[in-house]
Structures are given as structure tokens and as C-alpha cells.
Amino acid sequence: MKAAVCYEFGKPLVIEDVEIDQPQAGEVIVKTSACAICHSDIHRIRGDWGGQPPIIAGHEAAGVIADVGTGVSHFRVGDHVVVSLLRSCGRCFFCLIGRPYNCEGRFPQDERPRLRNKEGVILAQGLHTAAFAEFMVVDQSQVVVISPEMPLDRACLLACGVITGWGAVVNTARVEAGSGVVVIGAGGVGLNSVQGAALSGAVKIIAVDMLDHKLEAARGFGATHTINAGSQDPVAAVLSLTEGRGAEYAFITVGSSKAITQGAYMIRQGGIAVIVGMPSNQDANFSLNAHHLTYGRTVIGSPMGSTRLSVDIPRLVELYRQGRLKLDELISRRYPLDQINEAIESTERGEALRNVIIF
Amino acid sequence: MKAAVCYEFGKPLVIEDVEIDQPQAGEVIVKTSACAICHSDIHRIRGDWGGQPPIIAGHEAAGVIADVGTGVSHFRVGDHVVVSLLRSCGRCFFCLIGRPYNCEGRFPQDERPRLRNKEGVILAQGLHTAAFAEFMVVDQSQVVVISPEMPLDRACLLACGVITGWGAVVNTARVEAGSGVVVIGAGGVGLNSVQGAALSGAVKIIAVDMLDHKLEAARGFGATHTINAGSQDPVAAVLSLTEGRGAEYAFITVGSSKAITQGAYMIRQGGIAVIVGMPSNQDANFSLNAHHLTYGRTVIGSPMGSTRLSVDIPRLVELYRQGRLKLDELISRRYPLDQINEAIESTERGEALRNVIIF
């Protein structure tokens, strides 16, 4: 099969033929139909989170089940599925307390490599998925069946960007109708926090970004106010929009320690600041004044929207079917696999909400 | 009346005669029976939290109602009461959402000074109470009636140290039976977090302190494990006691940015670190790695145990009556008002759980 391999951090991906294993017990092979490019892929192939190349990235995917391993009972060849990096064993401490996104189980793909190039060099399976390839071998917990009527190029967005942004609002923070929300970053994740807040009935949705065209997009997704952080102090601007108290909730969807600190200062006493985006290792330390929190504020991390795939993906598909969840508007451009480097560069330049590779 | 006045930060208090106002509308005058010395008083009179002397500190008090202002209907002269610094208007945004401890109302004592020395110099009412004095003039929301059978020298402890430590566990974090808890700091507040956790049914209660005699006291209050942070790395020690995951909850009861960071690293994915103690202004900034939180950890501040006085004080009095809440054991020594400087120095040296001034 063809795949886009990262042989050196920061260099263009190499499109080449790659060998993929047969599925082990509990695994499925999915023929990739579409895979969006997420900033986490870029962090991964730029070396921002450590690790070693060669690696195949890509983790926001959808496709069709092509093969199943032993012990796979919920999926059949031909099923349309969303494929996510989230995997869960169903038996560990965290799975059993309803936090499958914190699963500490081990999987066949941890034990032995599943991808090799023609020379037999092992290719790491980036983010447990390696979706920049024509086929993926993943654990059955990473896939969710969707209706064949759901277009796969839009379905793939559900696998990461949508659940991360939407889930932070709906699952992690449980935003209630009538509340006031700030979303820092109006990109592929942030817009989904904006529409999550709108769907949850928030009455004040303040989007913060450095780029006016992203703020304009945020309005389309339900933002009631926008702040360009390049031209005003975003903390002061939020306070002035919220009677000086701050908002009930802030979602920091950009991976930046500065934005995390700003987000924490945008919430009122009793408010909740949610860390959604993952900063690079170099920028991961943020600082806060303890007195600010002592008055009853919360900072919480949202592990991929606290998503339970089999619960959340069907809900999102139904919201899309009802015309209430925007997905079409998230796609900036579609690319074939052999133009993936262009797609990545465009994403890196901040031009795109989501660029999608179509197989 | 006699009072202990701070004329210069860091200097001994001066015992002298002081003038106190009549109660305004909604206020009561309480004849002080007992007032414990809290580390917040020491922060206040050492200048750690800014402000200007002269000031009268003291805010962990109990006494007897001596006079009531107009519009006070729930209290009568002779009522035994606990007197706290927490005050709430009952009408503002935060009072109405069930967070009276975040009240943003204004009160008569904000409008005009209530205490003066013989030369007519205004004496600030420290922490809204000024309980290092024979009488206090406070808002009616700051007092809660208790049974005359409840000894006032123990009742005073409920006003701050107990509710702060216990409330962080019971109200802010809502610790559930069976869970694992770390308490950093085994002083007057920390011991109440320990006994709050024990009363809540926590099965693992790990106390962390630098002083062995405080750790010994923590065992008496329900700690199942103790860690002397002076002789071992407390984070590593907690991880090794919790299968490498960390505890469900950590309560940071010492006012130290380093302890806050340590507490955050002691909790498991999905766990909650609660900031209970207030660091000095100079030591208020703490730092954290965002990735650590991204896996679903929470850092939350507990504003004086998220206490609603009229809800929590009666519960605590009843727990004491049932023999389930330890108060007697919290009192290290009793002092008359004219030995208050000795009592403060002893507290400052870390010798005492609580030193109590008896009037």
C-alpha cells in the first residue's frame, strides 16, 4: 500500500510503498477513505513531542473495514467507520471508571511493529493509527460504525478535531444553557468548541484568535463576540464583555502556555478553564497565581474531549444529519495523498480549518 | 474594650483600649469568648498580603451576641455564636448561585471604619472580623447560632481552620467513600482535611509534612500513611503508595507554590488537586506542565472550604456532639489576651496546631 512516511522531523513526507501486518486478535484493518490533517500530526512530524522517525502520522480518519482479526465481533468487512487514535481495553482501572480515554491497557501494536518499508525498516505507527496510508491496522476500540449515508470525508473530522473541541464543552466542562463561554483559538478544534457551546445553549460565546478570517469563521459557528488577540489584550477584553467577572468557561484550544494562563484569567470565581490543545514539550510549562484559583476557579485538562467514542460519535452523526452540526464548513480543501506535503504546509501556515486527504 | 493592635507589620501586637462602633443595620455585636490564631492572621500582621497597619486581626472566633442592629431578625442578645470572616449579602450574583463564599456585596463596614484607638486613629478590621478584641462588630451573615452546650473555646475553631480543611474535602472536592487522598500539611487546616477525608470514608489518607510530630498527629486524625517531605521526595513517595497512578485527590493546605506544584503531580488522571492554603503574595505563582493536566487532571481552588456557614457549622457541631469530629485535640494551648504575642510566636514556630485566646 501507499503511505506518506516521515523519515526526518521537519522534512517533507515521502510517499512510498509500505508493508502492513495482518490484524491480530481484537484488531481490524480499515481501508482509508479520508484523513484530515490535525495540528497534532504536525507536532508529531516536527518532533515537538519527542520520539524518533521514521513514523507514519495521521489519526483523524474514516474508511471501510477491510479485514478483522480473531475475537472481533462488533464489526464486519464493509462497515463504514470513523477511526480515532483513542483506544481502550475495557478492562483496566480507567476503562472501568468510565474514562476509556485514560485507558492504561496494552495492545498488540505495542508489542510488535505493524508497518515496514520495502527495506524492512520499521515504521512507527504515529498516534496509534498511521492514517496517512491506504490501510490502517488498529484496535477494534478505535473504530465506530457509522451509517453508509454519512459522507466519509466529513465523517473523518469527527475522529479528532470535532470530538476534542465539542467534547471539551459537552463532556469535560458540561456547559449549561445560558452560560458564558470563551474559546481561545478558532481553528479546527476551537470552532468545534464554539459550536459545542452554541449547541449547549450558551448565550455568550466569545472567540479569541490572532486571525480575522478565523474569527469570521467563528461567527459562522455561533460566536456572539470576537476578540483579535493581536490588536487587544484578550483578558481585559473578555472581562469587559462579562461585567468584569470573567466568563463561566474558557476553552484553550491552542497549544500555548501563554494562552493557558490567559484563559485561566478569563474565568470568573467558580469558573472553569479547560486545557484542550497540547503545547509542544518546550512550551508546556504555564504559570498561574494561586490566589486567583483560591477564590474557587478550576483549571482542568480535557483528554481529547473526554470522549467515549461509541457514545459520542453516534450523537455527532445524528446532530449532523439533523443539520445542527457543521462539518462541511470545516473543510478548507481536499488533496490526494501525493499532495500531502502541500496540505500540511497550508495547515501549518494557518490557512486551513481542516485540509483533508482523499484516498 | 481591650484589643491587640498591629501598629507595624512584623512587630508585637499592642494591647490597649479601643473604641468600637454601635451595630449598623444588619450587624451584630458579639462579645468574644475565644479566638484561635490562624496562619492567615500571621500573614496579615506580617504584611505578606499587603495592606496597611494599624489593624486588628483575628477571625476564628466564638462568643455571645451582645447587641443587634436594625433589621437583624435571626439573632438575639445572649445567643452563642460562631463568628467567621465569611460574609454574604444573599442578593448578589454569587450568593444567588449558591456560592456565598464568593459574595461580591458591599457592607456597612466597607463604608466607614468601625474601630478607633484612644487618639482617634482608625484601626482596620482585619479579615472583616477583628476578633483579637473583647467585642466584634460584624455582619449578621458572619455568625451562626450554636447550642449553649457547645464549648465556645472549641466552637471557635469551626470558624476558619475546620471549615477550610474539612470543607475542601467535603464541599469543594466531594471526596467519596473508598477513594485515596493526599493532604499536604498537617497543621490546623490539614488535620481537618485528614479528618474530613476519614469522615468521608476515604480508604487511603496520606499525610505529608516536614515535622514528625505533626505527622503523628495526622495519624490520630485518620491518616493511614505519612510522608516526611524533608527526608523523601513526597511526589515519588505518593506515587509508590498509589500503584504509580497517584491519588484521587490532593489537598494542599500549606501556603506554598512548591507544595501546589507537588500536589498537582500527586494525582492520577482524572484526579483533583485542591488549593486550600493561600501562599504569600511573593510566593503565589506556581507552575505546571500542561501535558500533565491534559490527561484529565484538575486543579481547583477552595475558597475557605466552599463553606456556607449556616449549612456547614450545624453539621460540624453535630459531628462533634456525636464524638466523630475531633476539636479538643486541635487545641495546643490556651492563652489570655495579654499573652497573645507569645501565642502568635508559638504558632509561627510551628509548635501548635491551634493556640486559642480565651477572653
Side-chain angles (χ1 to χ4, degrees):
Chain A
M1 68 165 182
K2 286 247 180 303
V5 184
C6 169
Y7 278 101
E8 195 178 340
F9 287 150
K11 290 287 161 62
L13 306 185
V14 177
I15 316 292
E16 63 177 5
D17 284 326
V18 156
E19 305 287 333
I20 185 169
D21 266 13
Q22 291 303 303
Q24 300 289 305
E27 291 186 337
V28 297
I29 301 267
V30 179
K31 185 174 193 309
T32 314
S33 298
C35 178
I37 290 160
C38 168
H39 282 277
S40 297
D41 294 313
I42 296 175
H43 276 303
R44 200 75 191 74
I45 64 178
R46 296 302 182 240
D48 294 339
W49 292 342
Q52 285 298 327
I55 187 169
I56 299 178
H59 64 278
E60 187 167 316
V64 180
I65 300 267
D67 198 0
V68 300
T70 56
V72 173
S73 53
H74 288 59
F75 305 99
R76 269 186 287 202
V77 171
D79 280 348
H80 286 213
V81 290
V82 168
V83 184
S84 167
L85 69 89
L86 285 172
R87 59 183 195 178
S88 51
C89 70
R91 289 179 297 274
C92 75
F93 177 87
F94 289 106
C95 282
L96 291 173
I97 62 168
R99 302 181 66 94
Y101 40 87
N102 288 142
C103 174
E104 55 188 4
R106 286 192 65 78
F107 297 84
Q109 61 178 219
D110 299 323
E111 308 303 331
R112 61 179 239 193
R114 321 309 308 277
L115 304 162
R116 260 164 237 88
N117 72 7
K118 287 286 188 188
E119 287 78 45
V121 175
I122 291 165
L123 308 171
Q125 202 172 347
L127 297 150
H128 306 148
T129 317
F132 291 164
E134 289 174 332
F135 290 88
M136 302 169 270
V137 56
V138 295
D139 186 77
Q140 59 184 334
S141 64
Q142 294 179 249
V143 304
V144 180
V145 176
I146 56 174
S147 158
E149 284 163 26
M150 178 77 196
L152 288 164
D153 61 343
R154 274 141 282 179
C156 74
L157 306 176
L158 301 176
C160 174
V162 174
I163 55 174
T164 301
W166 183 85
V169 171
V170 175
N171 296 329
T172 309
R174 295 180 159 269
V175 164
E176 77 280 10
S179 57
V181 168
V182 179
V183 177
I184 305 183
V189 172
L191 290 179
N192 286 299
S193 290
V194 169
Q195 72 173 330
L199 278 162
S200 300
V203 291
K204 197 173 279 180
I205 303 174
I206 306 168
V208 180
D209 204 292
M210 308 284 278
L211 298 170
D212 282 329
H213 74 270
K214 292 203 170 183
L215 292 172
E216 189 55 37
R219 289 205 177 261
F221 279 73
T224 58
H225 300 76
T226 58
I227 295 169
N228 187 318
S231 58
Q232 17 174 192
D233 172 2
V235 176
V238 166
L239 292 180
S240 87
L241 286 172
T242 53
E243 293 94 52
R245 288 194 194 105
E248 269 80 16
Y249 303 95
F251 297 90
I252 303 111
T253 71
V254 295
S256 146
S257 61
K258 184 180 169 194
I260 292 170
T261 302
Q262 288 176 331
Y265 289 118
M266 289 174 179
I267 53 169
R268 67 155 165 82
Q269 296 181 127
I272 300 176
V274 184
I275 302 176
V276 184
M278 283 261 282
S280 68
N281 289 352
Q282 291 70 41
D283 188 32
N285 280 307
F286 67 97
S287 77
L288 269 186
N289 186 301
H291 295 184
H292 181 69
L293 292 192
T294 308
Y295 289 97
R297 294 175 175 91
T298 295
V299 178
I300 184 171
S302 175
M304 280 196 76
S306 309
T307 298
R308 297 139 306 161
L309 289 174
S310 303
V311 174
D312 293 295
I313 298 292
R315 290 179 177 183
L316 289 160
V317 167
E318 178 61 16
L319 283 167
Y320 177 74
R321 198 192 63 76
Q322 292 181 10
R324 300 167 72 192
L325 184 83
K326 291 185 201 301
L327 293 178
D328 303 52
E329 297 82 349
L330 285 169
I331 300 179
S332 299
R333 215 178 130 186
R334 291 168 175 81
Y335 295 81
L337 181 62
D338 59 14
Q339 287 174 27
I340 190 169
N341 288 308
E342 283 176 48
I344 288 170
E345 284 156 25
S346 156
T347 300
E348 217 166 3
R349 284 193 299 269
E351 293 167 5
L353 295 176
R354 273 302 193 253
N355 286 326
V356 181
I357 308 300
I358 306 291
F359 290 78
Chain B
M1 67 166 183
K2 287 247 179 303
V5 183
C6 170
Y7 277 101
E8 193 178 340
F9 286 150
K11 289 284 160 65
L13 306 185
V14 177
I15 316 293
E16 62 176 7
D17 283 328
V18 157
E19 305 285 333
I20 186 168
D21 266 15
Q22 290 304 302
Q24 299 289 305
E27 290 185 338
V28 297
I29 301 266
V30 180
K31 184 173 193 312
T32 312
S33 300
C35 178
I37 291 161
C38 169
H39 282 279
S40 297
D41 293 312
I42 297 177
H43 277 303
R44 200 76 190 76
I45 63 177
R46 296 301 181 240
D48 295 340
W49 292 342
Q52 286 297 327
I55 186 169
I56 298 177
H59 63 280
E60 188 168 315
V64 180
I65 300 267
D67 197 2
V68 299
T70 56
V72 172
S73 53
H74 287 58
F75 304 98
R76 269 185 288 201
V77 172
D79 280 348
H80 286 214
V81 290
V82 167
V83 184
S84 167
L85 70 88
L86 286 171
R87 56 183 197 180
S88 51
C89 70
R91 291 180 293 276
C92 74
F93 178 86
F94 288 106
C95 282
L96 290 173
I97 63 169
R99 300 180 66 93
Y101 39 89
N102 290 141
C103 174
E104 55 188 4
R106 286 191 65 78
F107 296 83
Q109 61 179 219
D110 300 324
E111 308 302 330
R112 65 176 235 195
R114 321 310 306 280
L115 303 163
R116 259 165 238 87
N117 70 8
K118 287 285 187 191
E119 287 76 46
V121 175
I122 290 165
L123 307 172
Q125 202 172 347
L127 298 148
H128 306 147
T129 316
F132 291 163
E134 289 175 331
F135 290 87
M136 302 169 270
V137 56
V138 295
D139 187 76
Q140 59 184 335
S141 64
Q142 294 178 250
V143 303
V144 179
V145 176
I146 56 174
S147 158
E149 284 163 27
M150 178 78 196
L152 289 164
D153 60 344
R154 273 141 280 179
C156 73
L157 305 176
L158 301 176
C160 173
V162 174
I163 55 175
T164 301
W166 182 85
V169 171
V170 175
N171 296 329
T172 309
R174 295 180 159 266
V175 164
E176 77 280 11
S179 58
V181 168
V182 179
V183 177
I184 304 183
V189 173
L191 289 180
N192 286 299
S193 291
V194 169
Q195 72 173 330
L199 278 163
S200 299
V203 291
K204 199 173 278 180
I205 303 173
I206 305 167
V208 180
D209 203 293
M210 308 284 276
L211 298 171
D212 283 328
H213 74 271
K214 292 204 171 183
L215 292 172
E216 191 53 39
R219 288 206 178 261
F221 279 73
T224 59
H225 300 76
T226 57
I227 296 168
N228 187 318
S231 58
Q232 22 175 187
D233 172 1
V235 176
V238 167
L239 293 180
S240 86
L241 286 172
T242 53
E243 294 95 54
R245 289 192 193 105
E248 270 80 16
Y249 303 95
F251 298 89
I252 304 109
T253 70
V254 294
S256 146
S257 61
K258 185 180 168 197
I260 292 171
T261 302
Q262 288 177 331
Y265 288 120
M266 288 174 181
I267 53 168
R268 68 156 166 81
Q269 297 181 126
I272 300 176
V274 184
I275 302 175
V276 184
M278 284 260 284
S280 67
N281 290 351
Q282 291 71 41
D283 187 32
N285 279 307
F286 67 97
S287 78
L288 267 187
N289 186 299
H291 295 184
H292 180 70
L293 292 192
T294 308
Y295 289 98
R297 294 176 176 88
T298 294
V299 178
I300 183 171
S302 175
M304 281 196 73
S306 307
T307 298
R308 299 139 304 161
L309 289 175
S310 303
V311 175
D312 293 295
I313 298 293
R315 290 179 177 184
L316 289 161
V317 167
E318 178 60 16
L319 283 167
Y320 177 74
R321 198 191 63 76
Q322 292 182 9
R324 301 167 70 192
L325 184 83
K326 291 184 200 304
L327 293 178
D328 303 51
E329 297 82 349
L330 285 169
I331 300 180
S332 299
R333 215 179 131 185
R334 292 169 173 81
Y335 295 80
L337 180 61
D338 59 14
Q339 286 174 28
I340 190 168
N341 289 308
E342 283 175 48
I344 289 170
E345 284 156 26
S346 157
T347 300
E348 216 166 4
R349 284 193 300 269
E351 294 167 2
L353 295 175
R354 274 300 193 255
N355 286 325
V356 180
I357 308 300
I358 306 292
F359 290 79

